[in-house]
Amino acid sequence: MAKFNWKRLGLAAGLSLTLVAAGCGGGEEEGSGDTEGDDSGEETADEGTDEGAEEDGAGEEEGSGDSANYSEEMDYTITGIEPGAGVVGAAETAVEEYDSLAGWDVETSSSGAMATALGEAIDNEEPIAVTGWSPHWKFEKYDLKYLEDPDGVFGEAEEIKTMVREGLEEDMPNAYTVLDQFQWEESQMNSTMLEINEGASPEDAAASFVEENQDMVDSWTEGAEEVDGKEIELVYVEWDTEVASTHVVGEVLTNLGFDVTLTPLDNAVMWQSVASGDADGMVAAWLPATHEDLYAEHKDSLEDLGANLEGAKIGLVVPEYMDVDSIEDLQPAE
Ligand code: PBE
């Protein structure tokens, strides 16, 4: 809880600083315009133009100065997440492929630590580049942008897919039906993630999603019958997206009478456990690019139940206030 309150405070502080800054700028311009405007009407028009030009000039100078220092200020470091994540692997490939990232490091930690670092950087209007993905609540909470990736290292649009172990259809046809029919939209996943980010437990956020979206949930359970305490295990990684989706599916299965276990694992272990049949399924497969290698390794021992969400994306994400648009705008350490 403390973490979330702190973030909200931080965001509020960031916003008020921006407003104060904007207010000051506007005040000064108006002031000087008014004073000079008293001298002559004609001049006012000219000065208006000059003023505009000066403003632009100042803006550019500031911008290029910042952008020259961004990479150094960031210590030539991309703020990553869990070591096994596809987006971290892609960032490492980007460091190898882009001249602009020569000598950079991809620092790994956790999705939570990345989010904290991002929030802190934004509070201080400092530059930061994170391994990002969407859907994600960070785009609702902050003004962020993906850096252009002209070499296509981070792939194009991704789907999040559902994978189950072989034999699930025979053993647990009702769970199979639900997993096969589970599919939702970015906005729904976003609102669930945001609720969790704002302090709700994943269980509570999932329960309220199910309560508020009964028609959609009915379309997932259509044709599935209630069971009496049959055990099922879903595996996931503690990425915000997967925490949300896995708990929503877990809630639906619980309501059908299943005894549900949700187990957080590392990415590679998650794939392995479904492929080996240790776990029953997962809703966390990012394809075609993010988990391409893991899919290639395990696809013959899994059943692919198709997309549960379309229009996902990964890439390097920076705050809007950074005057860079492309990975190529960054600067090598060497
Ligand atoms: N992610 C979220 C994962 C997939 C889901 C983008 C952090 C990854 O990079 O493997």
Side-chain angles (χ1 to χ4, degrees):
M1 272 311 274
K3 191 169 124 207
F4 299 118
N5 287 337
W6 175 85
K7 273 192 201 155
R8 270 207 292 275
L9 282 175
L11 179 68
L15 283 177
S16 10
L17 280 179
T18 313
L19 291 175
V20 169
C24 287
E28 271 167 33
E29 282 153 31
E30 261 172 49
S32 64
D34 283 352
T35 319
E36 288 159 26
D38 286 345
D39 295 334
S40 119
E42 262 173 51
E43 270 175 33
T44 306
D46 287 341
E47 276 166 11
T49 319
D50 287 345
E51 258 177 30
E54 272 166 36
E55 261 174 55
D56 287 346
E60 269 163 37
E61 265 164 41
E62 219 179 83
S64 62
D66 283 353
S67 97
N69 293 327
Y70 283 148
S71 300
E72 199 184 342
E73 271 182 70
M74 291 190 275
D75 204 13
Y76 306 101
T77 302
I78 292 165
T79 304
I81 55 166
E82 291 81 359
V87 70
V88 167
E92 283 161 354
T93 305
V95 165
E96 279 162 32
E97 289 200 5
Y98 281 96
D99 292 342
S100 57
L101 292 178
W104 281 60
D105 284 322
V106 181
E107 198 173 73
T108 54
S109 55
S110 66
S111 299
M114 176 278 286
T116 301
L118 180 66
E120 260 169 14
I122 288 172
D123 287 346
N124 299 318
E125 264 209 48
E126 286 166 2
I128 186 167
V130 303
T131 57
W133 67 98
S134 38
H136 197 280
W137 56 262
K138 59 185 176 284
F139 291 97
E140 316 260 313
K141 202 156 176 174
Y142 307 125
D143 283 331
L144 302 171
K145 59 187 173 189
Y146 279 100
L147 291 182
E148 285 158 27
D149 170 26
D151 291 355
V153 170
F154 291 91
E156 304 284 319
E158 292 280 280
E159 287 179 340
I160 311 180
K161 302 182 86 178
T162 302
M163 302 281 160
V164 297
R165 68 169 170 86
E166 286 181 339
L168 188 78
E169 186 171 15
E170 292 77 44
D171 300 346
M172 297 188 184
N174 297 302
Y176 181 93
T177 298
V178 172
L179 287 162
D180 196 18
Q181 293 178 153
F182 167 60
Q183 186 170 20
W184 59 348
E185 306 281 326
E186 173 158 2
S187 60
Q188 294 157 337
M189 186 185 234
N190 263 335
S191 65
T192 309
M193 273 191 289
L194 201 57
E195 217 175 306
I196 297 170
N197 172 254
E198 283 171 354
S201 71
E203 290 77 11
D204 287 351
S208 66
F209 178 87
V210 167
E211 237 176 74
E212 287 158 21
N213 295 272
Q214 203 53 59
D215 287 351
M216 170 163 270
V217 171
D218 287 347
S219 73
W220 302 340
T221 55
E222 197 185 336
E225 285 161 22
E226 291 197 4
V227 299
D228 190 13
K230 201 161 171 73
E231 288 183 9
I232 184 166
E233 182 180 14
L234 300 181
V235 285
Y236 67 109
V237 184
E238 283 180 321
W239 299 314
D240 310 68
T241 20
E242 279 55 40
V243 170
S245 55
T246 308
H247 280 82
V248 164
V249 176
E251 170 75 9
V252 173
L253 290 171
T254 301
N255 292 345
L256 262 190
F258 283 91
D259 177 2
V260 179
T261 303
L262 306 181
T263 309
L265 298 170
D266 284 342
N267 193 16
V269 183
M270 170 181 76
W271 279 84
Q272 170 68 34
S273 68
V274 178
S276 67
D278 284 349
D280 295 301
M282 54 102 152
V283 294
W286 280 55
L287 292 165
T290 311
H291 297 159
E292 186 180 13
D293 295 351
L294 289 160
Y295 182 64
E297 187 181 340
H298 297 296
K299 68 176 191 304
D300 295 338
S301 344
L302 292 165
E303 193 176 342
D304 178 348
L305 294 186
N308 58 61
L309 185 133
E310 283 170 4
K313 182 174 165 60
I314 66 169
L316 291 189
V317 170
V318 301
E320 272 290 351
Y321 55 72
M322 281 175 68
D323 185 21
V324 285
D325 294 318
S326 166
I327 295 174
E328 290 182 335
D329 296 337
L330 297 170
Q331 275 147 11
E334 303 156 345

